[in-house]
């Protein structure tokens, strides 16, 4: 007999969503993968995110082991972010999820356009 008493069951999909949930996290993963890996580049590309929020999202991605941060001992200081090996394993999933998101946006726009006719 299998007993479930005192065992918390975790849904793997919920864990995945919790890790990538956050303002622009999937966009940050894509940007870092494509070589836009400096804070200033990310901030310029994402004007709707505050510096504080951007720093928070990068910190969370680093704590989850998806990105690594490399500080260069220069003046002025330079920091670059890279996908970790673990983050690389997530990248194809993020890429496909974003493709689906674009398809869904197009579908909604077509549906809205049909209503206006």
């Amino acid at each position: 007999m299998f007993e479930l008493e005192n065992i918390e069951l975790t849904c793997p999909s919920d864990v995945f969503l919790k890790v990538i949930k956050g303002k622009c996290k999937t966009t940050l993963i894509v940007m870092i993968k494509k070589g836009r890996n400096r804070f200033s580049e990310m901030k310029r590309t994402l004007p709707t995110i505050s510096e504080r929020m951007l720093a928070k999202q990068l910190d969370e991605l680093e704590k989850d082991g998806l990105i690594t941060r490399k500080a260069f001992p220069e003046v002025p200081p330079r920091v670059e972010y890279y996908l970790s090996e673990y983050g690389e394993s997530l990248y194809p999933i993020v890429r496909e999820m974003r493709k689906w998101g674009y398809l869904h946006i197009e579908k909604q726009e077509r549906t809205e356009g049909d209503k206006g006719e």
Side-chain angles (χ1 to χ4, degrees):
M1 182 170 130
F2 185 70
E3 193 174 317
L4 292 177
E5 205 172 305
N6 297 323
I7 296 176
E8 182 178 336
L9 299 176
T10 303
C11 176
S13 299
D14 290 345
V15 172
F16 169 79
L17 292 172
K18 184 176 184 228
V19 170
I20 65 163
K21 182 180 179 186
K23 183 140 179 104
C24 301
K25 274 189 179 176
T26 59
T27 301
L28 291 171
I29 290 169
V30 171
M31 288 173 63
I32 292 168
K33 172 69 175 176
K34 292 186 175 184
R36 277 196 222 143
N37 57 355
R38 295 185 65 187
F39 189 92
S40 59
E41 293 173 305
M42 294 179 216
K43 180 64 185 122
R44 257 192 316 278
T45 305
L46 301 168
T48 61
I49 189 171
S50 69
E51 286 188 16
R52 183 172 179 252
M53 182 58 73
L54 177 57
K56 179 180 185 273
Q57 300 308 309
L58 290 168
D59 185 52
E60 288 176 9
L61 289 168
E62 186 178 13
K63 283 181 181 168
D64 285 329
L66 299 174
I67 64 172
T68 57
R69 179 183 188 275
K70 183 175 181 184
F72 294 86
E74 301 173 351
V75 177
R78 176 172 55 115
V79 174
E80 292 181 355
Y81 296 89
Y82 301 91
L83 287 184
S84 65
E85 187 176 329
Y86 190 53
E88 290 283 351
S89 74
L90 180 65
Y91 178 73
I93 299 164
V94 168
R95 187 182 63 234
E96 291 303 312
M97 183 181 71
R98 288 171 53 87
K99 281 183 189 176
W100 187 90
Y102 286 125
L103 289 172
H104 189 68
I105 290 168
E106 288 174 15
K107 179 184 178 296
Q108 286 184 312
E109 289 172 350
R110 282 192 310 272
T111 303
E112 291 297 318
D114 292 344
K115 289 179 184 176
E117 291 178 359

